[in-house]
Amino acid sequence: MIPAPRKGLKAKGVKTPEDRFAHALQELINSEAKQGWRFLRAETLPSEERSGFRGKKLVERSVLVFCKDQGSAATPVAPAAVSAGHEPVLVAPERPDSA
C-alpha cells in the first residue's frame, strides 16, 4: 500500500489539472509494475490526526493497493466470481502432508 498522489505531474502536452493528476497516477502505477507489483485497487481510509494542542480530527487518506504474484504461492479466484460483484480473493494452494 502506498499513498495516492495528491497533485499532478507536469509533462509535455498535459495541460489540465485532471490530465496532470491522471498522468501522475499513470507514472506511479507504471513504476510499481516495473518492479513486479500489480495494481489492485484504490482505497479511501479514515485517519485520526492531531488538531491544535489537545484536539483531534478525522481526515480521509487515499492509498493505492498493489499485490505481487508469488508464482504458485497463491492463485486468484476465477474471473466469473469477480465479474459477479465479489471481491477478488487469493487462495493458497494446499500443502502436501509432511508426515
Side-chain angles (χ1 to χ4, degrees):
M1 225 184 286
I2 59 174
R6 289 184 168 232
K7 65 181 205 172
L9 292 175
K10 291 184 179 182
K12 187 174 182 178
V14 182
K15 301 291 182 192
T16 66
E18 294 86 6
D19 290 341
R20 287 180 177 171
F21 182 78
H23 177 67
L25 197 56
Q26 176 183 347
E27 290 294 316
L28 183 64
I29 291 173
N30 287 342
S31 70
E32 294 298 319
K34 287 178 185 176
Q35 298 173 23
W37 292 94
R38 183 171 48 98
F39 176 72
L40 196 58
R41 66 180 175 266
E43 294 278 341
T44 303
L45 303 169
S47 174
E48 192 174 86
E49 294 184 352
R50 287 186 182 200
S51 176
F53 182 65
R54 296 183 60 173
K56 294 180 183 178
K57 66 178 178 178
L58 193 63
V59 295
E60 292 185 339
R61 300 282 180 199
S62 295
V63 293
L64 303 176
V65 181
F66 291 85
C67 68
K68 189 174 258 193
D69 294 329
Q70 299 293 327
S72 63
T75 55
V77 177
V82 175
S83 64
H86 301 290
E87 284 288 322
V89 178
L90 294 179
V91 180
E94 293 181 23
R95 294 183 183 177
D97 293 336
S98 58

Coordinates of all heavy atoms in Angstrom, one line a residue:
M1 N 0.8 -1.2 0.0 CA 0.0 0.0 0.0 C 0.9 1.2 0.0 O 1.8 1.3 0.8 CB -0.8 0.0 1.3 CG -2.3 0.3 1.0 SD -3.3 0.4 2.5 CE -3.5 -1.3 2.9
I2 N 0.6 2.1 -0.9 CA 1.4 3.4 -0.9 C 0.4 4.5 -1.0 O -0.8 4.4 -1.5 CB 2.4 3.4 -2.1 CG1 1.6 3.2 -3.4 CG2 3.4 2.4 -1.9 CD1 2.6 3.4 -4.6
P3 N 0.7 5.7 -0.6 CA -0.2 6.9 -0.7 C -0.4 7.2 -2.1 O 0.4 7.2 -3.0 CB 0.6 8.0 0.0 CG 1.8 7.4 0.7 CD 2.0 6.1 0.1
A4 N -1.7 7.6 -2.4 CA -2.1 8.1 -3.7 C -1.5 9.5 -3.9 O -1.3 10.2 -3.0 CB -3.6 8.1 -3.9
P5 N -1.2 9.8 -5.2 CA -0.6 11.2 -5.4 C -1.6 12.3 -5.0 O -2.8 12.1 -5.1 CB -0.4 11.2 -6.9 CG -1.1 10.1 -7.5 CD -1.3 9.1 -6.4
R6 N -1.1 13.4 -4.5 CA -2.0 14.5 -4.1 C -2.2 15.5 -5.2 O -3.1 16.3 -5.2 CB -1.5 15.1 -2.8 CG -1.6 14.3 -1.6 CD -1.1 15.0 -0.4 NE -1.6 14.3 0.8 CZ -2.2 14.8 1.7 NH1 -2.5 16.1 1.7 NH2 -2.6 14.1 2.8
K7 N -1.2 15.6 -6.1 CA -1.3 16.6 -7.2 C -0.7 16.0 -8.4 O 0.1 15.0 -8.3 CB -0.7 17.9 -6.8 CG 0.8 17.9 -6.6 CD 1.3 19.3 -6.2 CE 2.7 19.5 -6.5 NZ 3.1 20.9 -6.3
G8 N -1.0 16.6 -9.5 CA -0.5 16.1 -10.8 C 1.0 16.4 -11.1 O 1.6 17.2 -10.4
L9 N 1.5 15.7 -12.1 CA 2.8 16.0 -12.6 C 2.8 16.7 -13.9 O 1.9 16.4 -14.8 CB 3.5 14.6 -12.8 CG 3.9 13.8 -11.6 CD1 4.5 12.5 -12.1 CD2 4.9 14.5 -10.8
K10 N 3.6 17.7 -14.1 CA 3.7 18.4 -15.3 C 4.4 17.5 -16.4 O 5.4 16.8 -16.0 CB 4.5 19.7 -15.2 CG 3.8 20.7 -14.3 CD 4.6 22.0 -14.3 CE 3.8 23.1 -13.5 NZ 4.6 24.3 -13.5
A11 N 3.9 17.6 -17.6 CA 4.5 16.9 -18.7 C 4.1 17.6 -20.0 O 3.2 18.3 -20.0 CB 4.0 15.4 -18.7
K12 N 4.9 17.3 -21.0 CA 4.7 18.0 -22.3 C 3.3 17.5 -22.8 O 3.0 16.3 -22.9 CB 5.8 17.6 -23.3 CG 5.7 18.4 -24.6 CD 6.9 18.0 -25.4 CE 6.9 18.9 -26.7 NZ 8.0 18.6 -27.5
G13 N 2.5 18.5 -23.2 CA 1.2 18.2 -23.8 C 0.1 17.9 -22.7 O -1.1 17.7 -23.1
V14 N 0.4 17.9 -21.5 CA -0.6 17.7 -20.4 C -0.9 19.0 -19.8 O 0.0 19.6 -19.1 CB 0.0 16.7 -19.4 CG1 -1.0 16.4 -18.3 CG2 0.4 15.4 -20.0
K15 N -2.1 19.5 -20.0 CA -2.4 20.9 -19.7 C -3.3 21.1 -18.5 O -3.1 21.9 -17.6 CB -3.0 21.7 -20.9 CG -2.1 21.7 -22.1 CD -1.0 22.6 -21.9 CE -0.1 22.6 -23.2 NZ 1.2 23.2 -23.0
T16 N -4.4 20.3 -18.4 CA -5.4 20.5 -17.4 C -5.0 19.8 -16.1 O -4.2 18.8 -16.1 CB -6.8 20.0 -17.8 OG1 -6.7 18.5 -18.0 CG2 -7.2 20.6 -19.1
P17 N -5.5 20.3 -14.9 CA -5.2 19.6 -13.7 C -5.7 18.1 -13.6 O -5.0 17.3 -13.1 CB -6.0 20.4 -12.6 CG -6.2 21.7 -13.3 CD -6.3 21.5 -14.7
E18 N -6.8 17.8 -14.3 CA -7.3 16.4 -14.3 C -6.3 15.6 -15.1 O -6.0 14.4 -14.7 CB -8.7 16.4 -15.0 CG -9.8 17.0 -14.2 CD -9.9 18.5 -14.4 OE1 -9.2 19.0 -15.3 OE2 -10.7 19.2 -13.7
D19 N -5.8 16.1 -16.2 CA -4.9 15.3 -17.0 C -3.5 15.1 -16.3 O -2.9 14.1 -16.4 CB -4.6 16.0 -18.4 CG -5.8 15.9 -19.3 OD1 -6.7 15.1 -19.1 OD2 -5.9 16.7 -20.3
R20 N -3.1 16.2 -15.6 CA -1.9 16.1 -14.8 C -2.0 15.0 -13.7 O -1.0 14.3 -13.4 CB -1.5 17.4 -14.3 CG -1.0 18.4 -15.3 CD -0.6 19.7 -14.7 NE 0.0 20.5 -15.8 CZ 0.3 21.8 -15.7 NH1 0.0 22.4 -14.5 NH2 0.7 22.5 -16.7
F21 N -3.1 15.0 -13.0 CA -3.3 14.0 -12.0 C -3.4 12.6 -12.6 O -2.8 11.7 -12.0 CB -4.6 14.3 -11.2 CG -4.9 13.3 -10.1 CD1 -4.2 13.5 -8.9 CD2 -5.7 12.3 -10.2 CE1 -4.4 12.6 -7.9 CE2 -5.9 11.3 -9.2 CZ -5.2 11.5 -8.0
A22 N -4.0 12.4 -13.7 CA -4.1 11.1 -14.3 C -2.7 10.7 -14.8 O -2.3 9.5 -14.6 CB -5.0 11.2 -15.5
H23 N -1.9 11.7 -15.2 CA -0.5 11.4 -15.6 C 0.3 10.9 -14.4 O 1.1 10.0 -14.5 CB 0.1 12.6 -16.3 CG 1.5 12.4 -16.6 ND1 2.0 11.6 -17.6 CD2 2.7 13.0 -16.1 CE1 3.3 11.6 -17.7 NE2 3.7 12.5 -16.8
A24 N 0.1 11.6 -13.3 CA 0.9 11.2 -12.0 C 0.5 9.8 -11.6 O 1.3 9.0 -11.2 CB 0.6 12.2 -10.9
L25 N -0.8 9.5 -11.7 CA -1.3 8.2 -11.3 C -0.7 7.1 -12.2 O -0.3 6.1 -11.8 CB -2.8 8.2 -11.3 CG -3.5 7.1 -10.6 CD1 -3.1 7.0 -9.2 CD2 -5.0 7.3 -10.7
Q26 N -0.7 7.4 -13.5 CA -0.2 6.5 -14.5 C 1.3 6.2 -14.3 O 1.8 5.1 -14.3 CB -0.4 7.1 -15.9 CG 0.2 6.2 -17.0 CD 0.0 6.9 -18.4 OE1 -0.7 7.9 -18.5 NE2 0.7 6.4 -19.4
E27 N 2.1 7.3 -14.0 CA 3.5 7.1 -13.8 C 3.8 6.3 -12.5 O 4.7 5.4 -12.5 CB 4.2 8.5 -13.6 CG 4.2 9.3 -14.9 CD 5.1 8.6 -16.0 OE1 6.2 8.2 -15.6 OE2 4.7 8.5 -17.1
L28 N 3.0 6.5 -11.5 CA 3.1 5.8 -10.2 C 2.8 4.3 -10.4 O 3.6 3.4 -10.0 CB 2.2 6.4 -9.1 CG 2.4 5.7 -7.8 CD1 3.7 6.0 -7.2 CD2 1.3 6.3 -6.8
I29 N 1.7 4.0 -11.1 CA 1.3 2.6 -11.3 C 2.3 1.9 -12.2 O 2.7 0.8 -12.0 CB -0.1 2.5 -11.9 CG1 -1.1 2.9 -10.8 CG2 -0.4 1.1 -12.4 CD1 -2.5 3.1 -11.3
N30 N 2.8 2.6 -13.3 CA 3.8 2.0 -14.2 C 5.1 1.7 -13.5 O 5.8 0.7 -13.7 CB 4.0 2.9 -15.4 CG 2.8 2.8 -16.3 OD1 2.0 1.9 -16.3 ND2 2.7 3.8 -17.2
S31 N 5.5 2.6 -12.6 CA 6.8 2.4 -11.9 C 6.7 1.2 -10.9 O 7.7 0.5 -10.8 CB 7.2 3.7 -11.1 OG 6.4 3.9 -10.0
E32 N 5.6 1.0 -10.3 CA 5.4 -0.2 -9.5 C 5.3 -1.4 -10.3 O 5.8 -2.5 -9.9 CB 4.1 0.0 -8.6 CG 4.2 1.1 -7.6 CD 5.3 0.9 -6.6 OE1 5.6 -0.2 -6.1 OE2 6.0 1.9 -6.2
A33 N 4.7 -1.3 -11.5 CA 4.6 -2.5 -12.3 C 5.9 -3.0 -12.8 O 6.1 -4.2 -13.0 CB 3.7 -2.2 -13.5
K34 N 6.8 -2.1 -13.0 CA 8.2 -2.4 -13.5 C 8.9 -3.2 -12.4 O 9.8 -4.0 -12.7 CB 9.0 -1.2 -13.8 CG 8.6 -0.5 -15.1 CD 9.4 0.7 -15.3 CE 8.9 1.5 -16.6 NZ 9.6 2.7 -16.8
Q35 N 8.5 -3.1 -11.2 CA 9.1 -3.8 -10.1 C 8.3 -5.1 -9.7 O 8.6 -5.8 -8.7 CB 9.2 -2.9 -8.8 CG 10.0 -1.7 -9.0 CD 9.9 -0.8 -7.8 OE1 9.6 -1.2 -6.7 NE2 10.2 0.5 -8.0
G36 N 7.4 -5.4 -10.6 CA 6.6 -6.7 -10.4 C 5.3 -6.6 -9.6 O 4.7 -7.6 -9.3
W37 N 4.9 -5.4 -9.2 CA 3.7 -5.2 -8.5 C 2.5 -4.9 -9.4 O 2.7 -4.3 -10.4 CB 3.9 -4.0 -7.5 CG 4.8 -4.2 -6.4 CD1 6.2 -3.9 -6.4 CD2 4.6 -4.9 -5.2 NE1 6.7 -4.3 -5.3 CE2 5.8 -4.9 -4.5 CE3 3.5 -5.5 -4.6 CZ2 5.9 -5.5 -3.2 CZ3 3.6 -6.0 -3.4 CH2 4.8 -6.1 -2.7
R38 N 1.4 -5.5 -9.1 CA 0.2 -5.3 -9.9 C -0.8 -4.5 -9.1 O -1.1 -4.7 -7.9 CB -0.4 -6.7 -10.2 CG -1.6 -6.7 -11.0 CD -2.1 -8.1 -11.4 NE -2.1 -9.0 -10.3 CZ -3.3 -9.3 -9.7 NH1 -4.4 -8.8 -10.1 NH2 -3.3 -10.2 -8.7
F39 N -1.3 -3.4 -9.8 CA -2.3 -2.6 -9.2 C -3.6 -3.3 -8.9 O -4.1 -4.0 -9.8 CB -2.6 -1.4 -10.1 CG -3.7 -0.5 -9.5 CD1 -3.4 0.4 -8.4 CD2 -4.9 -0.4 -10.1 CE1 -4.4 1.2 -7.9 CE2 -5.9 0.4 -9.6 CZ -5.6 1.2 -8.5
L40 N -4.1 -3.2 -7.7 CA -5.3 -4.0 -7.3 C -6.5 -3.0 -7.2 O -7.5 -3.3 -7.8 CB -5.1 -4.7 -6.0 CG -6.0 -5.8 -5.6 CD1 -6.1 -6.9 -6.7 CD2 -5.6 -6.4 -4.3
R41 N -6.3 -2.0 -6.4 CA -7.5 -1.0 -6.2 C -7.0 0.2 -5.4 O -5.9 0.3 -4.9 CB -8.6 -1.7 -5.4 CG -8.2 -2.0 -4.0 CD -9.4 -2.7 -3.3 NE -9.0 -3.1 -1.9 CZ -8.6 -4.3 -1.6 NH1 -8.5 -5.2 -2.6 NH2 -8.3 -4.6 -0.4
A42 N -7.8 1.2 -5.4 CA -7.6 2.5 -4.6 C -8.6 2.5 -3.5 O -9.8 2.0 -3.6 CB -7.8 3.7 -5.5
E43 N -8.2 2.9 -2.3 CA -9.0 2.9 -1.1 C -8.9 4.3 -0.5 O -7.9 4.9 -0.5 CB -8.5 1.9 -0.1 CG -8.6 0.4 -0.5 CD -10.0 -0.1 -0.3 OE1 -10.8 0.5 0.5 OE2 -10.3 -1.1 -0.9
T44 N -10.0 4.7 0.2 CA -10.0 5.9 1.0 C -10.3 5.4 2.4 O -11.3 4.8 2.7 CB -11.1 6.9 0.5 OG1 -10.8 7.2 -0.9 CG2 -11.0 8.2 1.3
L45 N -9.4 5.7 3.3 CA -9.5 5.2 4.7 C -9.4 6.4 5.7 O -8.8 7.4 5.4 CB -8.3 4.3 5.0 CG -8.2 3.1 4.1 CD1 -6.8 2.4 4.3 CD2 -9.3 2.1 4.3
P46 N -10.1 6.3 6.8 CA -10.1 7.3 7.8 C -8.8 7.3 8.6 O -8.2 6.3 8.8 CB -11.3 7.0 8.7 CG -11.5 5.5 8.6 CD -11.0 5.2 7.2
S47 N -8.4 8.5 9.0 CA -7.1 8.6 9.8 C -7.3 9.7 10.8 O -7.8 10.8 10.4 CB -6.0 9.0 8.8 OG -4.8 9.2 9.6
E48 N -7.1 9.4 12.1 CA -7.2 10.4 13.1 C -5.9 11.2 13.3 O -4.9 10.6 13.4 CB -7.6 9.7 14.4 CG -8.1 10.7 15.5 CD -8.6 9.9 16.7 OE1 -7.7 9.6 17.5 OE2 -9.8 9.7 16.8
E49 N -6.0 12.5 13.3 CA -4.8 13.4 13.4 C -5.0 14.4 14.5 O -6.1 14.7 14.8 CB -4.5 14.1 12.1 CG -4.1 13.2 11.0 CD -3.8 13.9 9.7 OE1 -4.0 15.2 9.7 OE2 -3.3 13.3 8.8
R50 N -3.9 14.9 15.0 CA -3.9 16.0 16.0 C -4.4 17.3 15.3 O -4.1 17.6 14.2 CB -2.6 16.3 16.6 CG -2.1 15.2 17.5 CD -0.8 15.7 18.1 NE -0.3 14.7 19.0 CZ 0.5 14.9 20.0 NH1 1.0 16.1 20.1 NH2 0.9 13.9 20.7
S51 N -5.2 18.0 16.1 CA -5.7 19.3 15.6 C -5.5 20.3 16.8 O -6.3 20.2 17.7 CB -7.1 19.2 15.2 OG -7.6 20.5 14.8
G52 N -4.5 21.1 16.7 CA -4.2 22.0 17.8 C -3.5 21.3 18.9 O -2.8 20.3 18.7
F53 N -3.7 21.8 20.2 CA -2.9 21.3 21.3 C -3.5 20.0 21.8 O -2.7 19.0 22.0 CB -2.9 22.3 22.4 CG -2.1 21.9 23.6 CD1 -0.8 21.7 23.6 CD2 -2.8 21.7 24.8 CE1 -0.1 21.3 24.7 CE2 -2.1 21.2 25.9 CZ -0.7 21.1 25.9
R54 N -4.8 19.9 22.0 CA -5.4 18.7 22.5 C -6.5 18.1 21.6 O -7.0 17.0 21.9 CB -6.0 19.0 23.9 CG -5.0 19.4 24.9 CD -5.6 19.6 26.2 NE -6.2 18.3 26.7 CZ -6.7 18.1 27.9 NH1 -6.7 19.1 28.7 NH2 -7.3 17.0 28.2
G55 N -6.8 18.7 20.6 CA -7.9 18.3 19.7 C -7.4 17.2 18.7 O -6.2 17.0 18.5
K56 N -8.4 16.5 18.2 CA -8.2 15.5 17.1 C -9.2 15.7 16.1 O -10.3 16.2 16.3 CB -8.4 14.1 17.7 CG -7.3 13.7 18.7 CD -7.6 12.3 19.2 CE -6.6 12.0 20.3 NZ -6.8 10.6 20.9
K57 N -8.9 15.4 14.9 CA -9.8 15.5 13.8 C -9.7 14.2 12.9 O -8.6 13.6 12.9 CB -9.6 16.7 12.9 CG -8.3 16.8 12.2 CD -8.2 18.1 11.4 CE -6.9 18.1 10.6 NZ -6.8 19.3 9.8
L58 N -10.7 13.9 12.2 CA -10.7 12.7 11.3 C -10.6 13.2 9.9 O -11.3 14.0 9.4 CB -12.0 12.0 11.5 CG -12.1 10.6 10.9 CD1 -11.1 9.7 11.6 CD2 -13.5 10.0 11.1
V59 N -9.5 12.7 9.2 CA -9.3 13.0 7.8 C -9.3 11.7 7.0 O -9.1 10.6 7.6 CB -8.0 13.8 7.6 CG1 -8.0 15.1 8.3 CG2 -6.8 12.9 8.1
E60 N -9.5 11.9 5.7 CA -9.5 10.7 4.9 C -8.2 10.7 4.0 O -7.8 11.7 3.5 CB -10.7 10.7 3.9 CG -12.0 10.5 4.7 CD -13.2 10.4 3.8 OE1 -13.1 10.8 2.6 OE2 -14.2 9.8 4.2
R61 N -7.6 9.5 4.0 CA -6.4 9.3 3.2 C -6.7 8.4 2.1 O -7.3 7.3 2.3 CB -5.3 8.8 4.1 CG -4.9 9.6 5.3 CD -4.1 10.8 4.8 NE -3.7 11.6 5.9 CZ -3.3 12.8 5.8 NH1 -3.1 13.3 4.7 NH2 -3.0 13.5 6.9
S62 N -6.2 8.7 0.9 CA -6.3 7.8 -0.2 C -5.0 7.0 -0.4 O -3.9 7.6 -0.4 CB -6.6 8.6 -1.5 OG -7.8 9.2 -1.4
V63 N -5.1 5.7 -0.6 CA -4.0 4.8 -0.8 C -4.2 4.0 -2.0 O -5.4 3.7 -2.4 CB -3.7 4.0 0.4 CG1 -3.2 4.8 1.6 CG2 -4.9 3.1 0.8
L64 N -3.1 3.5 -2.6 CA -3.2 2.6 -3.7 C -2.7 1.2 -3.2 O -1.7 1.1 -2.6 CB -2.3 3.1 -4.9 CG -2.6 4.5 -5.4 CD1 -1.6 4.8 -6.5 CD2 -4.0 4.5 -6.0
V65 N -3.5 0.2 -3.5 CA -3.2 -1.2 -3.1 C -2.6 -1.9 -4.3 O -3.2 -2.0 -5.3 CB -4.5 -1.9 -2.5 CG1 -4.1 -3.3 -2.0 CG2 -5.1 -1.0 -1.4
F66 N -1.4 -2.5 -4.0 CA -0.8 -3.4 -5.0 C -0.6 -4.8 -4.4 O -0.6 -4.9 -3.2 CB 0.6 -2.8 -5.4 CG 0.5 -1.5 -6.1 CD1 0.4 -0.3 -5.4 CD2 0.6 -1.5 -7.5 CE1 0.4 0.9 -6.1 CE2 0.6 -0.3 -8.2 CZ 0.5 0.9 -7.5
C67 N -0.4 -5.7 -5.3 CA -0.1 -7.1 -4.9 C 1.0 -7.6 -5.8 O 1.1 -7.2 -6.9 CB -1.3 -8.0 -4.8 SG -2.0 -8.4 -6.5
K68 N 1.7 -8.6 -5.3 CA 2.8 -9.2 -6.1 C 2.5 -10.7 -6.2 O 2.3 -11.3 -5.2 CB 4.2 -9.0 -5.4 CG 5.3 -9.4 -6.3 CD 6.6 -9.1 -5.6 CE 7.2 -7.8 -6.3 NZ 8.6 -7.6 -5.9
D69 N 2.4 -11.2 -7.4 CA 2.2 -12.6 -7.6 C 3.4 -13.3 -7.1 O 4.5 -13.0 -7.5 CB 1.9 -12.9 -9.1 CG 0.6 -12.2 -9.6 OD1 -0.3 -12.1 -8.7 OD2 0.5 -11.9 -10.7
Q70 N 3.1 -14.4 -6.4 CA 4.2 -15.2 -5.8 C 4.3 -16.5 -6.5 O 4.6 -17.5 -5.9 CB 4.0 -15.4 -4.3 CG 3.9 -14.2 -3.5 CD 5.3 -13.5 -3.4 OE1 6.3 -14.1 -3.4 NE2 5.2 -12.2 -3.4
G71 N 4.1 -16.5 -7.8 CA 4.2 -17.8 -8.6 C 3.1 -18.7 -8.2 O 1.9 -18.4 -8.3
S72 N 3.4 -19.9 -7.7 CA 2.4 -20.8 -7.3 C 2.0 -20.7 -5.8 O 1.2 -21.5 -5.3 CB 2.9 -22.3 -7.5 OG 4.0 -22.5 -6.7
A73 N 2.4 -19.7 -5.1 CA 2.1 -19.5 -3.7 C 0.6 -19.1 -3.6 O 0.0 -19.4 -2.5 CB 3.0 -18.4 -3.1
A74 N 0.1 -18.4 -4.5 CA -1.4 -18.0 -4.5 C -1.9 -17.9 -5.9 O -1.2 -17.5 -6.8 CB -1.5 -16.7 -3.7
T75 N -3.2 -18.3 -6.0 CA -3.8 -18.2 -7.3 C -5.1 -17.4 -7.2 O -5.8 -17.6 -6.2 CB -4.2 -19.6 -7.8 OG1 -4.9 -20.3 -6.9 CG2 -2.9 -20.4 -8.1
P76 N -5.4 -16.5 -8.1 CA -6.6 -15.7 -8.0 C -7.9 -16.6 -8.2 O -7.8 -17.6 -8.9 CB -6.4 -14.7 -9.1 CG -5.4 -15.2 -10.0 CD -4.6 -16.2 -9.2
V77 N -9.0 -16.1 -7.7 CA -10.3 -16.7 -7.9 C -10.6 -16.6 -9.4 O -10.2 -15.7 -10.1 CB -11.3 -16.1 -7.0 CG1 -12.7 -16.7 -7.3 CG2 -10.9 -16.2 -5.6
A78 N -11.5 -17.5 -9.9 CA -12.0 -17.5 -11.2 C -12.6 -16.1 -11.6 O -13.2 -15.5 -10.8 CB -13.0 -18.6 -11.5
P79 N -12.3 -15.6 -12.8 CA -12.9 -14.3 -13.2 C -14.4 -14.2 -13.1 O -14.9 -13.1 -12.9 CB -12.4 -14.1 -14.7 CG -11.2 -15.0 -14.8 CD -11.5 -16.2 -13.8
A80 N -15.1 -15.3 -13.2 CA -16.6 -15.3 -13.1 C -17.0 -14.8 -11.8 O -18.0 -14.0 -11.7 CB -17.1 -16.7 -13.4
A81 N -16.3 -15.2 -10.7 CA -16.6 -14.7 -9.4 C -16.4 -13.2 -9.2 O -17.2 -12.5 -8.6 CB -15.8 -15.5 -8.3
V82 N -15.4 -12.7 -9.9 CA -15.1 -11.3 -9.8 C -16.1 -10.5 -10.6 O -16.6 -9.5 -10.1 CB -13.7 -11.0 -10.4 CG1 -13.4 -9.5 -10.4 CG2 -12.6 -11.7 -9.5
S83 N -16.5 -11.0 -11.8 CA -17.5 -10.2 -12.6 C -18.9 -10.3 -11.9 O -19.7 -9.5 -12.2 CB -17.5 -10.8 -14.0 OG -18.0 -12.1 -14.0
A84 N -19.1 -11.3 -11.0 CA -20.4 -11.4 -10.4 C -20.5 -10.3 -9.2 O -21.5 -10.3 -8.5 CB -20.6 -12.8 -9.8
G85 N -19.5 -9.5 -9.0 CA -19.6 -8.5 -8.0 C -18.9 -8.8 -6.7 O -18.9 -8.1 -5.7
H86 N -18.1 -9.9 -6.7 CA -17.4 -10.3 -5.5 C -16.0 -9.8 -5.5 O -15.4 -9.6 -6.6 CB -17.3 -11.9 -5.4 CG -18.7 -12.5 -5.3 ND1 -19.5 -12.4 -4.2 CD2 -19.4 -13.2 -6.2 CE1 -20.6 -13.0 -4.4 NE2 -20.6 -13.6 -5.7
E87 N -15.4 -9.5 -4.3 CA -14.1 -9.0 -4.3 C -13.1 -10.2 -4.7 O -13.4 -11.3 -4.4 CB -13.8 -8.6 -2.8 CG -14.3 -7.3 -2.4 CD -13.6 -6.1 -3.1 OE1 -12.4 -6.2 -3.3 OE2 -14.4 -5.2 -3.5
P88 N -12.0 -9.8 -5.3 CA -11.0 -10.9 -5.6 C -10.4 -11.4 -4.4 O -10.1 -10.7 -3.4 CB -10.0 -10.2 -6.5 CG -10.3 -8.7 -6.5 CD -11.7 -8.6 -5.9
V89 N -10.2 -12.7 -4.3 CA -9.6 -13.3 -3.1 C -8.5 -14.2 -3.6 O -8.6 -14.9 -4.6 CB -10.7 -14.2 -2.4 CG1 -10.1 -15.0 -1.3 CG2 -11.9 -13.4 -2.0
L90 N -7.4 -14.2 -2.9 CA -6.3 -15.1 -3.2 C -6.4 -16.4 -2.4 O -6.6 -16.3 -1.2 CB -4.9 -14.4 -2.9 CG -4.6 -13.2 -3.8 CD1 -3.3 -12.6 -3.4 CD2 -4.6 -13.6 -5.2
V91 N -6.3 -17.5 -3.0 CA -6.4 -18.8 -2.4 C -5.1 -19.5 -2.3 O -4.5 -19.7 -3.4 CB -7.5 -19.6 -3.1 CG1 -7.6 -21.0 -2.4 CG2 -8.8 -18.9 -3.2
A92 N -4.6 -19.8 -1.2 CA -3.3 -20.5 -1.0 C -3.5 -21.9 -1.5 O -4.5 -22.6 -1.2 CB -2.8 -20.4 0.4
P93 N -2.5 -22.5 -2.2 CA -2.6 -23.9 -2.6 C -2.5 -24.8 -1.4 O -1.9 -24.5 -0.4 CB -1.4 -24.1 -3.6 CG -0.5 -23.0 -3.2 CD -1.3 -21.9 -2.7
E94 N -3.0 -26.0 -1.5 CA -2.9 -27.0 -0.5 C -1.5 -27.5 -0.4 O -0.8 -27.7 -1.4 CB -3.8 -28.2 -0.7 CG -5.3 -27.8 -0.7 CD -6.2 -29.0 -0.9 OE1 -5.7 -30.1 -0.7 OE2 -7.3 -28.7 -1.3
R95 N -1.0 -27.7 0.8 CA 0.4 -28.2 1.0 C 0.3 -29.7 1.2 O -0.5 -30.2 1.9 CB 1.0 -27.5 2.3 CG 1.2 -26.1 2.1 CD 1.9 -25.5 3.4 NE 2.0 -24.1 3.2 CZ 2.5 -23.3 4.1 NH1 2.9 -23.8 5.3 NH2 2.6 -22.0 3.9
P96 N 1.3 -30.4 0.6 CA 1.3 -31.8 0.9 C 1.7 -32.1 2.3 O 2.4 -31.4 2.9 CB 2.4 -32.3 -0.1 CG 3.1 -31.1 -0.5 CD 2.3 -29.9 -0.3
D97 N 1.1 -33.2 2.9 CA 1.4 -33.6 4.3 C 2.8 -34.0 4.4 O 3.3 -34.7 3.6 CB 0.5 -34.7 4.7 CG -1.0 -34.2 4.8 OD1 -1.2 -33.0 5.0 OD2 -1.9 -35.1 4.7
S98 N 3.5 -33.5 5.4 CA 4.9 -33.8 5.6 C 5.0 -35.1 6.4 O 6.1 -35.6 6.6 CB 5.6 -32.7 6.3 OG 5.0 -32.4 7.6
A99 N 4.0 -35.7 6.9 CA 4.1 -36.9 7.7 C 4.0 -38.1 6.9 O 3.6 -38.2 5.9 CB 2.9 -37.0 8.7

